[in-house]
Amino acid sequence: MCGIVGYVGHRKAVPIILEGLKRLEYRGYDSAGLAVYGEDHNLAVRRAKGKLRNLEDTIRLSPVDGSFGIGHTRWATHGRPTEENAHPHSDCKGELVVVHNGIVENYLTLKHQLEAEGHVFRTETDTEIIAHLIEKHFSGNLEEAVRAAVAELAGVFALAVISRADPEKIVAARNGPPVVIGIGDNEYFVASDVPAILSHTRDMFFLADGDMAVLTPAGVRLSDFQGRPVNRQVTHVLWDPIMAEKGGYKHFMLKEIFEQPRAVRDTMMGRVGQETGRIFLDEMDIQPAEFAGFRQVKIIACGTSWHAGLAGKFMIEKLARIPVEVDYGSEFRYRDPIVLEDTLTVVISQSGETADTLAAQRHAKQRGSKTLAICNVVGSMITREAAGTIYTHAGPEIGVASTKAFTCQLSALFILAMYLGQSNGRLDESTSRCLMQEALRIPGKLETVLAHDAIYEALGRELHRATDFLFLGRGQHFPIALEGALKLKEISYIHAEGYPAGEMKHGPNALIDEKLPVVVLATRDASSEESRLLYEKTVSNIQEVKAREGIVVALITQGDEQVPKMADHIIEIPPSLALLSPILEIVPLQLLAYHIAVRRGCDVDQPRNLAKSVTVE
């Protein structure tokens, strides 16, 4: 989950590396460092514990310069977050340095072997093993030394390496975590993610597992770990660099929350026939007849994407009448799952590089299932391995706590549910047209929800001293209760739990007292009898909470006259179809979590112990 940046070219490397690391701090912020090859023909290394500003202060006091180098921002997986354990790491002589994202699973065995050969270790990290392995194999050609070293590594890794003895060259390698190569004007970049280099080039390509890239001022050479040449298609990234900046907002998270109307609109655009409601999914290696023949859907995801998958289960089962199972990526392949040939496996990942989800995808493919990705990053590993992809158009999401990616995933799942229903004949044109007309109104309704931010801020001021929260929902609202609780605990460090409202009597009632805020999702769809029944049962749950003196924060549909008479606090959203209501419901809960976290003085964009892209298990 660490961030890597490298540059080789005609400009000063340090400002470029620092700028890139700043854009990658969401991937880790326990420590940071860089190394450059200077005019004195030596490698200069600067490292600092804590956030990137500490490294900037170190460089200000002890400047370094050079035209090629590598940098790193760390999320600690092996070794304490100290300056000593910060990357880059060097060999015994300081002749070469390595930055690394991943985990070396056989590091102890390798360390004992290298120590027996005379190598001296200075840190607690597994990354230092790699530097000494490369030193062991180095005989003048850095590329060949790296190739020999990675052959001995077990685990997952993304590497960037430079050497004083083989200068003006960066060697990058991938086996698991993402590596993107940027192509500029006689200059070249390596990074963990697109935003790091987006202000310098939009032309880039992702390495695949087993790829090695050699960057020099003359260009980029690609090969596999065995030395055979490979080719990767260059992608022109359409993200505007400004999209990766705060744009006047206090935090990236707040900016990204307010981008949701645009993001949801962009995710739907081009995929729907507004007059007919017909869904169009292009660039699929899954034929329409195959979509018509699927008899089961498995959804695999982690974290927030898993909550989106739970909501998607309701959408697909309702509109396509196909049974859906939702699995955690980290659990799926360890339970020997039953995957039939007529099963569609849907993998959901914002980054497209989530290690657990990717491993589960490969497991499903091995069992004969077609896989379809819902993803925000073009060219990422999950999309390359899928038979088809529904790209969300959220744009870069920098805040660690996912917001706009979630609502775009919900939108993509609704599109997929309609497509499956249309393919197997469960969804006729008249119903499709009505559904799509409602879906296309969602961005405007999101703007209405966001216009009431003052209400959520006032609620945050009222509730920020609470030590626990309970979130309750029924049916398609239950996944949003889970996601609302996750957002609060992620960024405010308040213990919060999402629960099915119907299960209150089976435990949660014991927690309720006059100090416990209980957020109840009590919206309703006037056109749905099922929604009416869920609403009536949820009203009973509110009465249960009030009978125990709990603090009720009720999320309701505009025009509701019943719940406001019972609840302590009210949040209103515009009316919508029941299946689309989760897209509207989550936004007030995101803002409530945000304002509570700000009140508590928490680091909203970079919550402790978390990182954006979970690229190791």
Side-chain angles (χ1 to χ4, degrees), residues 325-353:
E325 292 182 359
V326 184
D327 269 288
Y328 283 110
S330 57
E331 296 287 336
F332 178 73
R333 66 193 189 281
Y334 296 116
R335 63 175 179 84
D336 194 19
I338 299 170
V339 183
L340 306 175
E341 288 188 4
D342 57 1
T343 296
L344 173 66
T345 300
V346 179
V347 288
I348 309 174
S349 169
Q350 185 275 141
S351 67
E353 303 288 349

Side-chain angles (χ1 to χ4, degrees), residues 475-554:
Q476 66 270 13
H477 313 298
F478 167 54
I480 306 309
L482 290 173
E483 176 62 12
L486 176 62
K487 285 286 95 64
L488 185 64
K489 72 180 76 168
E490 279 182 313
I491 63 171
S492 74
Y493 317 142
I494 294 174
H495 170 256
E497 189 171 359
Y499 227 84
E503 293 294 299
M504 286 180 63
K505 297 180 181 68
H506 300 278
N509 274 349
L511 300 173
I512 299 172
D513 60 20
E514 71 279 359
K515 296 179 181 179
L516 181 71
V518 182
V519 180
V520 184
L521 280 75
T523 60
R524 61 180 177 180
D525 174 1
S527 67
S528 166
E529 177 65 15
E530 181 184 277
S531 179
R532 184 187 66 79
L533 290 172
L534 287 176
Y535 171 79
E536 290 176 356
K537 292 181 180 296
T538 304
V539 169
S540 297
N541 296 133
I542 292 174
Q543 291 170 333
E544 288 181 62
V545 175
K546 290 310 300 175
R548 290 158 180 80
E549 300 185 353
I551 304 166
V552 173
V553 180

Side-chain angles (χ1 to χ4, degrees), residues 400-468:
V400 167
S402 182
T403 53
K404 61 179 178 174
F406 179 69
T407 47
C408 288
Q409 287 168 354
L410 292 176
S411 303
L413 284 161
F414 186 77
I415 288 170
L416 175 61
M418 286 191 62
Y419 188 78
L420 285 166
Q422 291 170 358
S423 297
N424 66 18
R426 297 284 187 172
L427 206 55
D428 60 37
E429 184 174 321
S430 175
T431 306
S432 295
R433 188 184 306 113
C434 293
L435 288 169
M436 191 44 60
Q437 287 172 351
E438 286 299 316
L440 292 173
R441 294 188 183 106
I442 290 295
K445 292 179 179 181
L446 284 172
E447 290 170 353
T448 300
V449 172
L450 290 166
H452 296 97
D453 186 39
I455 294 173
Y456 320 130
E457 185 175 8
L459 261 179
R461 185 166 57 247
E462 180 84 13
L463 302 174
H464 76 278
R465 291 186 178 88
T467 56
D468 301 275

